[in-house]
């Protein structure tokens, strides 16, 4: 209300101008949210399209994304940092679209030659995603998505990065990706128990995995194990 209880003509002019600015701000905000929703939907569909090639990988991308976000949250990353990692996690295996189906969907274990071809999916992920116009903090998505097979001691691929040369998001995703692989059924083996997978990963902390991230992984594991006990 006007201080003296009466609105003057110039008050209305000011209010009309302000309402125009406010209206534009609200409209832009709604448009941004719509574009953001569309962007994430496209990212999720791209990730799921790779999983759909093989029955045994169905749901892998979604689980790795959830696990990665949980570990990142326990490590204390901000919402903005987690948003970038979320996109990278959904696209981490997108390079598999360039792997021949005869290898990608082969029942049983791969030969050494076939495994070499399969390993190339990480480099292909970087190559494909680098062609996309990621902006701002999302410009790190190709590097993060393609580094989930790098190892803390430098024995990983595709670039043989070591320690903190590996993007933080990739180091977090490495925990999530291996954990899901170990606890998922394959044609040639049954899944590990959650506890068995946890112990396996703990044994490789400091060689395959960043030791500074292990407390966050342990917190994630306890949270997941508690949910699993409630289901049973």
């Amino acid at each position: 209300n006007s201080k003296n209880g009466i609105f003057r003509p110039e008050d209305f002019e000011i209010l009309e101008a302000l309402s125009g600015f406010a209206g534009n701000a609200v409209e832009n905000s709604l448009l941004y949210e719509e574009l953001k929703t569309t962007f994430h939907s496209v990212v999720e569909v791209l990730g799921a399209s790779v999983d759909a090639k093989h029955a045994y990988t169905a749901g892998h991308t979604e689980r790795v994304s959830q696990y990665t976000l949980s570990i990142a949250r326990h490590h204390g990353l901000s919402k903005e940092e987690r948003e970038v990692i979320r996109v990278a996690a959904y696209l981490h295996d997108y390079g598999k679209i360039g792997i021949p189906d005869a290898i990608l969907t082969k029942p049983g274990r791969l030969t050494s030659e076939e495994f070499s071809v399969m390993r190339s999916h990480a480099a292909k992920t970087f190559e494909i995603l680098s062609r996309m116009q990621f902006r701002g903090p999302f410009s790190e998505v190709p590097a993060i998505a393609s580094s989930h097979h790098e190892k803390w001691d430098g024995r990983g691929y595709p670039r043989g990065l070591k320690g903190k040369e590996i993007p933080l998001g990739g180091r977090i995703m490495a925990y999530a990706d291996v954990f899901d692989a170990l606890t998922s059924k394959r044609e040639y083996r049954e899944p590990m128990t959650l506890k068995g997978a946890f112990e396996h990963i703990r044994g490789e902390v400091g060689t395959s995995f960043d030791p500074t991230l292990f407390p966050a992984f342990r917190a994630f594991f306890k949270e997941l194990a508690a949910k699993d006990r409630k289901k049973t």
Side-chain angles (χ1 to χ4, degrees), residues 119 149-163 166 203-209:
R119 280 167 53 115
H149 285 298
E150 301 285 1
K151 295 183 184 297
W152 183 251
D153 62 4
R155 295 178 298 108
Y157 61 91
R159 290 182 288 170
L161 300 178
K162 184 177 182 180
I166 308 167
E204 295 192 12
V205 171
T207 53
S208 294
F209 304 104

Side-chain angles (χ1 to χ4, degrees), residues 105-142:
T105 63
K106 178 184 177 180
R109 293 184 179 275
L110 301 176
T111 65
S112 58
E113 293 80 7
E114 290 169 337
F115 184 65
S116 179
V117 174
M118 179 66 84
R119 280 167 53 115
S120 72
H121 82 273
K124 292 180 185 296
T125 293
F126 182 80
E127 180 184 346
I128 294 171
L129 297 185
S130 293
R131 298 175 188 173
M132 299 178 68
Q133 298 299 312
F134 290 107
R135 301 294 184 185
F138 289 97
S139 63
E140 296 297 317
V141 165

Side-chain angles (χ1 to χ4, degrees), residues 24-198:
N24 287 334
V26 171
E27 186 175 1
N28 289 337
S29 177
L30 292 174
L31 179 60
Y32 171 77
E33 289 301 322
E34 289 176 2
L35 290 174
K36 184 178 176 182
T37 299
T38 301
F39 170 69
H40 283 296
S41 296
V42 170
V43 166
E44 290 174 17
V45 169
L46 289 175
S49 67
V50 177
D51 288 355
K53 282 179 168 286
H54 200 312
Y56 280 97
T57 58
H60 169 71
T61 295
E62 175 66 29
R63 291 190 300 274
V64 169
S65 179
Q66 290 178 359
Y67 297 168
T68 300
L69 285 176
S70 180
I71 297 169
R73 174 172 54 82
H74 284 295
H75 191 59
L77 268 62
S78 68
K79 181 179 179 181
E80 291 74 20
E81 291 171 317
R82 297 199 305 271
E83 194 74 10
V84 174
I85 292 175
R86 178 176 184 264
V87 173
Y90 267 106
L91 298 173
H92 77 282
D93 272 344
Y94 197 68
K96 286 182 178 179
I97 200 168
I99 303 299
D101 284 352
I103 294 177
L104 192 62
T105 63
K106 178 184 177 180
R109 293 184 179 275
L110 301 176
T111 65
S112 58
E113 293 80 7
E114 290 169 337
F115 184 65
S116 179
V117 174
M118 179 66 84
R119 280 167 53 115
S120 72
H121 82 273
K124 292 180 185 296
T125 293
F126 182 80
E127 180 184 346
I128 294 171
L129 297 185
S130 293
R131 298 175 188 173
M132 299 178 68
Q133 298 299 312
F134 290 107
R135 301 294 184 185
F138 289 97
S139 63
E140 296 297 317
V141 165
I144 295 172
S146 62
S147 63
H148 63 286
H149 285 298
E150 301 285 1
K151 295 183 184 297
W152 183 251
D153 62 4
R155 295 178 298 108
Y157 61 91
R159 290 182 288 170
L161 300 178
K162 184 177 182 180
K164 292 189 177 180
E165 294 175 349
I166 308 167
L168 175 59
R171 285 179 268 147
I172 293 173
M173 206 186 311
Y175 276 96
D177 187 62
V178 172
F179 184 79
D180 184 66
L182 293 175
T183 55
S184 297
K185 181 178 174 61
R186 293 291 183 264
E187 298 96 329
Y188 49 87
R189 64 163 173 79
E190 291 299 311
M192 277 190 184
T193 63
L194 297 183
K195 182 65 175 176
F198 175 82

